[in-house]
Amino acid sequence: MEKLKWIDHELKVKYGAEEVLLLPKEYQLLQYLWERPFQVFSREDLLDAVWSMENPTDRTVDDHIYRLRKKLRPLASLLSISTVRGKGYLLKVEEQVHQSPLAEDQDVASSAKVLFHKYHLYGQGKALKVLEENQDIFGFELDVEHQCYLHFMKGDFEWFLKDERSFWDTCYYLMHIYSYIQPDKEKSLHYFTKALAEEKLPGAHRTEIRLLNRLSLLIFTKRLSEAENQLSASKKEIDDRGLHNLYPLTLLTELYLVFLQNDKPAIEKKMKEVGETLEKYPFSREQATFLIMQGIHCFWNHEEDKADRFFQEGFKLFKEAKYIPGLMISLNVILFFIQEFRSESDLFSTYKEMWRDLAFEYRFSELKSQIEYQLDVHLNRKNSSL
């Protein structure tokens, strides 16, 4: 965990529960010293580094150092600015940061995991962010799986391509990211199917792939007969094993299928069932997804303005939950069904433009090629062809 966090857009530094708000030049001066700890800098050195385009006096440095010292008192256990007589100033950084005595307490670690799970289920993105940023204060450290989920949730997809962790820890997330940005869903289905045969894939990931992820891809590749069989098997296993948290997602996925089958009574019945189920399981991501499906229902009924309002409400809920993958999944679903029902609709160009904006922001083209390379290396070892 980092000792000191820099919040550039707010000109803040944060250490544990302490936050210090600085003026622009104070922030720049502290950052310069922080990057060069235990080095002595004269006033002239600091003037050149921080005020290179201005004409301040020597007193400017002294005044800023004075104010910095006062503001940084809450961080005294980590750093301090010392005066070296006749030479200048240096920043001292404490090398040893004392670990919380709770760090080895298994009850604390277990409670943190329960909190994480609850915040995740109910879409409490802000709470997850606080939990992540203050692990040292709360006395625990998130394991690799929880770290992966947090980076995934925030849309920090490039993190998964770094060589700092095992491919098998990140495989599940790489395949999901790939499935959002790869137009050819057959390729995504191929990788999910290959992964099921890999013993190194964590068991929980294998379960979700088997019960849910392949099911949605079977639907979007229009293998409807196979999807129906998988849906029946998934619902039975979820019921037999008591995996109740997966039930709402399974019903939402079933909605995709009934819309493709274009069976009006079945659609109306399933919409009602999903709504009733989400009253029992009010999970934020599932509620946001249901708003998207209510929009699809309106679009199917030729109520395009109403559909658009539901889509926007769903996006808003995903943003409040700080769940970036939800936006990408929803755009995939919206564009898929608009093309299925009425591709000439003005909504198609509206949401296609939104997709292009996301593609630019998250660099889909580069991500796709890099992820595909990783998946090929590890999942296509015996058969390199798709």
Side-chain angles (χ1 to χ4, degrees):
M1 289 179 281
E2 293 180 0
K3 292 180 179 178
L4 189 67
K5 294 181 175 67
W6 298 83
I7 308 173
D8 293 344
H9 66 286
E10 296 182 14
L11 297 178
K12 283 182 183 178
V13 289
K14 183 176 180 181
Y15 175 60
E18 301 290 349
E19 284 188 353
V20 177
L21 179 63
L22 302 171
L23 296 173
K25 288 300 182 184
E26 294 169 351
Y27 190 85
Q28 191 176 344
L29 175 59
L30 179 60
Q31 202 161 42
Y32 184 79
L33 293 171
W34 174 262
E35 291 169 356
R36 301 160 183 82
F38 302 102
Q39 295 184 41
V40 179
F41 296 98
S42 67
R43 292 185 183 89
E44 291 75 16
D45 293 333
L46 296 176
L47 285 172
D48 289 342
V50 181
W51 289 270
S52 59
M53 304 301 291
E54 303 171 39
N55 294 303
T57 65
D58 287 356
R59 190 67 200 168
T60 299
V61 174
D62 295 338
D63 289 343
H64 279 73
I65 292 290
Y66 173 76
R67 291 201 301 270
L68 265 180
R69 281 172 170 161
K70 288 184 67 175
K71 291 184 177 182
L72 294 173
R73 283 173 185 166
L75 311 186
S77 63
L78 176 66
L79 55 81
S80 61
I81 300 174
S82 296
T83 302
V84 180
R85 188 177 297 276
K87 293 185 178 180
Y89 301 102
L90 67 80
L91 182 71
K92 292 182 178 179
V93 179
E94 179 60 45
E95 297 289 343
Q96 296 292 328
V97 178
H98 297 294
Q99 188 179 39
S100 167
L102 297 175
E104 301 299 323
D105 191 305
Q106 293 305 307
D107 289 339
V108 171
S110 177
S111 297
K113 289 182 179 180
V114 171
L115 269 178
F116 187 99
H117 179 65
K118 290 291 185 183
Y119 290 154
H120 160 54
L121 274 179
Y122 290 95
Q124 301 301 302
K126 290 181 181 178
L128 284 170
K129 185 172 184 290
V130 169
L131 204 62
E132 177 194 18
E133 291 181 347
N134 295 281
Q135 296 172 58
D136 49 349
I137 297 171
F138 296 137
F140 71 93
E141 186 169 357
L142 292 172
D143 58 22
V144 173
E145 169 58 22
H146 289 113
Q147 290 176 36
C148 285
Y149 177 76
L150 283 167
H151 285 277
F152 178 70
M153 179 190 81
K154 294 185 294 186
D156 184 10
F157 300 141
E158 292 184 1
W159 181 86
F160 292 92
L161 294 166
K162 298 174 183 176
D163 295 329
E164 300 169 7
R165 51 204 62 84
S166 163
F167 168 80
W168 299 107
D169 288 332
T170 61
C171 174
Y172 177 79
Y173 297 97
L174 289 171
M175 289 191 298
H176 275 78
I177 298 164
Y178 185 78
S179 72
Y180 308 151
I181 64 182
Q182 167 60 269
D184 184 352
K185 301 308 179 189
E186 290 284 356
K187 286 190 172 183
S188 296
L189 178 59
H190 166 83
Y191 288 126
F192 276 106
T193 302
K194 292 284 285 187
L196 280 177
E198 295 289 347
E199 294 182 0
K200 293 180 181 179
L201 189 73
H205 292 171
R206 184 180 291 105
T207 297
E208 289 205 21
I209 290 171
R210 188 179 69 255
L211 299 181
L212 285 173
N213 307 139
R214 283 191 75 258
L215 173 59
S216 62
L217 287 168
L218 286 171
I219 294 169
F220 290 128
T221 53
K222 298 187 179 179
R223 302 186 185 191
L224 302 190
S225 178
E226 190 177 348
E228 284 185 313
N229 292 334
Q230 179 60 61
L231 176 64
S232 177
S234 294
K235 290 171 79 171
K236 183 178 186 305
E237 184 172 344
I238 287 169
D239 188 53
D240 289 346
R241 295 177 58 184
L243 303 174
H244 305 302
N245 290 341
L246 297 182
Y247 190 62
L249 279 174
T250 308
L251 285 183
L252 285 162
T253 306
E254 189 174 3
L255 264 180
Y256 304 157
L257 183 59
V258 295
F259 271 113
L260 279 181
Q261 292 168 334
N262 203 30
D263 182 339
K264 184 175 176 60
I267 290 172
E268 301 299 339
K269 179 181 178 181
K270 191 58 60 179
M271 289 291 293
K272 182 180 178 182
E273 183 182 355
V274 174
E276 291 172 350
T277 299
L278 290 179
E279 290 179 6
K280 183 178 179 181
Y281 300 97
F283 303 151
S284 181
R285 288 183 308 157
E286 284 79 350
Q287 288 179 327
T289 301
F290 188 48
L291 284 168
I292 299 298
M293 295 313 297
Q294 286 174 288
I296 297 298
H297 186 226
C298 291
F299 187 84
W300 181 71
N301 279 321
H302 295 267
E303 300 173 301
E304 296 198 8
D305 289 343
K306 193 174 178 181
D308 192 35
R309 289 196 293 273
F310 273 115
F311 294 154
Q312 293 304 319
E313 280 297 308
F315 291 143
K316 180 181 177 183
L317 198 53
F318 277 125
K319 289 174 182 176
E320 288 175 357
K322 300 189 181 300
Y323 189 66
I324 300 301
L327 298 176
M328 297 179 179
I329 297 168
S330 297
L331 276 172
N332 269 282
V333 170
I334 289 168
L335 291 170
F336 175 83
F337 280 110
I338 288 178
Q339 285 183 297
E340 281 295 309
F341 299 152
R342 287 186 308 286
S343 60
E344 74 280 3
S345 168
D346 290 340
L347 287 183
F348 184 77
S349 58
T350 298
Y351 288 102
K352 194 68 176 177
E353 181 63 30
M354 187 182 296
W355 181 257
R356 282 192 285 266
D357 290 343
L358 275 180
F360 177 78
E361 181 179 358
Y362 290 95
R363 299 164 55 177
F364 285 178
S365 179
E366 295 171 42
L367 275 176
K368 185 164 75 72
S369 60
Q370 292 180 62
I371 293 174
E372 190 167 301
Y373 173 78
Q374 289 291 326
L375 296 177
D376 279 339
V377 166
H378 292 90
L379 298 179
N380 281 336
R381 292 166 301 194
K382 295 179 182 178
N383 177 16
S384 60
S385 65
L386 290 175

